[in-house]
Amino acid sequence: MQAMIPFPDISPEIFTLSLFGIEFALRWYALSYIVGILLGWRLVVASVKRPHLWRDASAPMTPLQVEDLLTWVILGVILGGRLGFVLFYQPAYYLQNPLQILQVWQGGMSFHGGLLGVVTACILYSKRQGAPWLSVADVLCMVAPIGLLLGRIANFINAELWGRPTSLPWGVAFPGAAAQDCPDVIGICARHPSQLYEAALEGLILGAVLVFLAYRRDALKERGRITGLFFAGYGVSRFIVEFVRQADAQFITPDNPMGYAVQMGGLGLSMGQLLSLPMIAFGLAMVAWAKRSRPA
């Protein structure tokens, strides 16, 4: 009998309130966004209160300006994440159903789109405030893994974005007909808990490395270094996990059972890997640039 881990009995909803015939539910995924933003905000505030971490002992923002930036970041995450999902994953569907683009509560967010949204918000806000945008980007990238860690754990609780079938002993038997639809598996289908792999790589490990470099190795003094390391680190982590992550359903066909976005014979790249390659290239280039432009 195959060894596997049964899916824990955790409801995606923390609690539900019924008011005047309308039900309001707080879900773990929403809570992960809220807690991630709050923890990130507090860490950014703590960082700008330490001038010695920054070039010329001058933080790019005041604590009050960080609060203003928070609004821009939230808008960037939501708008960028939604538009990224629409453009990267299901453009044909939303072209035929444009009104559903606004229905964010139905699900469908892209990390890569959300990241572009935050970058845009960061640049616009920095220009408006006269702050060095690369320093602002550095501190935002330093705290971004907090949200990634919590978000991926919430994905696991929601039993979504699971991995490919596996016979490894830590495979998880995710509930639902889609998760149990494994043509080559007889009986219960166990899958890679790819959400937890991403939580560890993109969240815990990457976040710990960036905070260590910022607080112990003066990385924030080299503008763009933390940003580059985050882009490259996330890109590499996501590229690796994509090998065991189940492809998005819209890419899976009888001729393309692995769900490659780009296929070359029996090999190919998933959409997540395709979007991660420019992130890795940009990140490495940014690290090299930051090293050359650091103050003497």
Side-chain angles (χ1 to χ4, degrees):
M1 184 176 179
Q2 177 184 339
M4 66 181 68
I5 300 174
F7 188 76
D9 185 18
I10 304 176
S11 172
E13 296 181 357
I14 303 173
F15 63 81
T16 303
L17 294 176
S18 182
L19 297 175
F20 308 107
I22 301 176
E23 290 191 348
F24 299 89
L26 177 62
R27 301 175 64 89
W28 288 104
Y29 195 71
L31 184 63
S32 72
Y33 268 80
I34 296 170
V35 175
I37 289 174
L38 289 177
L39 291 178
W41 166 53
R42 295 312 304 167
L43 183 53
V44 172
V45 170
S47 300
V48 300
K49 287 182 177 180
R50 291 168 168 77
H52 67 277
L53 296 177
W54 305 91
R55 181 181 296 188
D56 302 324
S58 177
M61 298 176 288
T62 65
L64 186 60
Q65 287 176 315
V66 175
E67 294 183 14
D68 295 334
L69 176 62
L70 186 62
T71 303
W72 290 69
V73 169
I74 292 172
L75 290 174
V77 168
I78 295 174
L79 296 178
R82 183 58 171 176
L83 291 177
F85 180 81
V86 170
L87 296 175
F88 298 151
Y89 291 93
Q90 295 188 15
Y93 174 80
Y94 285 104
L95 185 63
Q96 297 176 358
N97 303 275
L99 293 180
Q100 292 191 23
I101 295 176
L102 303 176
Q103 298 177 9
V104 181
W105 58 91
Q106 296 293 340
M109 297 285 282
S110 162
F111 167 79
H112 296 90
L115 179 60
L116 291 175
V118 172
V119 169
T120 302
C122 171
I123 294 174
L124 293 176
Y125 177 83
S126 299
K127 287 186 175 181
R128 183 176 180 178
Q129 297 293 328
W133 75 270
L134 267 180
S135 291
V136 176
D138 282 339
V139 74
L140 289 180
C141 286
M142 182 184 72
V143 303
I146 298 174
L148 291 173
L149 170 63
L150 297 175
R152 294 310 183 192
I153 292 175
N155 288 145
F156 178 82
I157 294 174
N158 286 346
E160 61 187 3
L161 304 183
W162 18 257
R164 301 185 191 276
T166 180
S167 58
L168 293 172
W170 59 83
V172 176
F174 289 96
Q180 290 301 312
D181 183 14
C182 306
D184 298 328
V185 176
I186 298 175
I188 299 177
C189 177
R191 293 180 176 273
H192 284 282
S194 55
Q195 316 96 323
L196 301 184
Y197 299 166
E198 292 188 73
L201 291 174
E202 305 164 5
L204 186 61
I205 295 175
L206 180 58
V209 168
L210 295 182
V211 171
F212 173 79
L213 291 175
Y215 275 71
R216 291 289 183 265
R217 292 293 183 267
D218 295 329
L220 289 172
K221 294 180 180 179
E222 297 179 20
R223 291 175 182 167
R225 183 182 176 190
I226 291 291
T227 298
L229 289 171
F230 171 76
F231 272 78
Y234 175 86
V236 170
S237 300
R238 179 67 181 267
F239 193 93
I240 292 172
V241 175
E242 284 287 322
F243 284 111
V244 297
R245 177 172 164 171
Q246 182 73 9
D248 294 280
Q250 61 267 29
F251 295 109
I252 299 176
T253 65
D255 297 330
N256 184 18
M258 297 296 287
Y260 294 130
V262 174
Q263 192 172 10
M264 298 159 285
L267 302 176
L269 295 174
S270 70
M271 178 56 75
Q273 289 175 319
L274 201 61
L275 294 174
S276 294
L277 288 176
M279 289 187 66
I280 297 171
F282 172 80
L284 293 176
M286 181 63 72
V287 171
W289 179 86
K291 185 175 182 180
R292 289 198 302 268
S293 62
R294 66 184 175 185

